[in-house]
Amino acid sequence: MLNEQENAQENLDEAQKNFQFELTKKIALENEINNLDVEIAALQPKAEKQAINHINKKLSSKVLWELAFFDDENSGYYQIKQDGKCRGVKQLSTGEKNVIAFLYFIEKLEEMKETPKKNKIVVFDDPMSSNDDTMQYLIICELQRIFQGNEKNKFIPDKDFLIILTHNVHFYLNVQPHGNFKDKKLDKTDKNNPKLKEVSKYDKNNFYRIQNRSFKLITGEHEDFKTSYEGLWIELKDLYACEHKNSMLNSMRRIIETYTKFNSIDTKKFYKGNDEYLKLFNVNSHSIDDLSAESFTEDKEQMKDLFRQIFVDNDAESHFEKYWEK
């Protein structure tokens, strides 16, 4: 009985010793975390000011306002300053908010210090939303600087991954590596007969198009979009195949707008005064008061025939046939 008590006491003493050891480790870790939090808090304003200065520099020739830093819990880190007065960010347009968020995100990439063994994966989901042409050009240039390796403190092309998703064909054509260049690279597949191999942008990058609800890898120029206008027709045929009537109408309208502008044709004359065309191809394009696509009983074939007929009426049937078949 005495031996059992002695063993129990020894076990208790050992458990208390281990508990005290772990408690000491816990306190030491908490102190380390607190010290790091203090260091981060000290660096935060400096990093925010640097980010805001960079953003202001990039936007200086494009907007009439600038971001102003405020180290105040009630106001956040920045406000909008214009003509010596400050106002809330909520007063900006959606496009202006988007471009600030975009540029701010790029600045914050510099703070993400990954270990040498890890890769950084950066994803942009349709960054062109609600932006005018000026801001779109800015966004394109910023993304190109990243994947070209001009911002290695934020993104290393040989190590990190950049994924860009978009439904904007114009943006896709302009943001990707330009030109039909072909570099020479030594192919050592056959050790006995190594030879130079042509390497294009399609070998160095992966380009995909969603077609019939599946990803299609673009392997060369012959499979890629040539112009954004051609892309609109490809988009229309994909929507036609999936029977997305409402989206088909939007694509048809954009094709007509592009065609009439390029050929200097008045839109009203193009529609030949036909209210059926005007209502159908402009549905849901202006406001919530427009007629819904659901009010149209035409199926996808009838919609295609109506769209074809408007080109026939303008002596442009061959134009329709060329792009639809292509």
Side-chain angles (χ1 to χ4, degrees), residues 184-207:
K184 299 290 184 179
K185 182 180 180 181
L186 189 62
D187 185 0
K188 297 182 180 180
T189 305
D190 185 353
K191 295 181 179 179
N192 297 323
N193 185 29
K195 55 184 178 180
L196 288 176
K197 177 184 177 182
E198 288 188 338
V199 180
S200 71
K201 64 183 178 183
Y202 301 99
D203 299 303
K204 296 180 178 181
N205 308 274
N206 289 327
F207 301 94

Side-chain angles (χ1 to χ4, degrees), residues 21 30 73:
F21 177 75
E30 288 177 344
E73 292 183 359

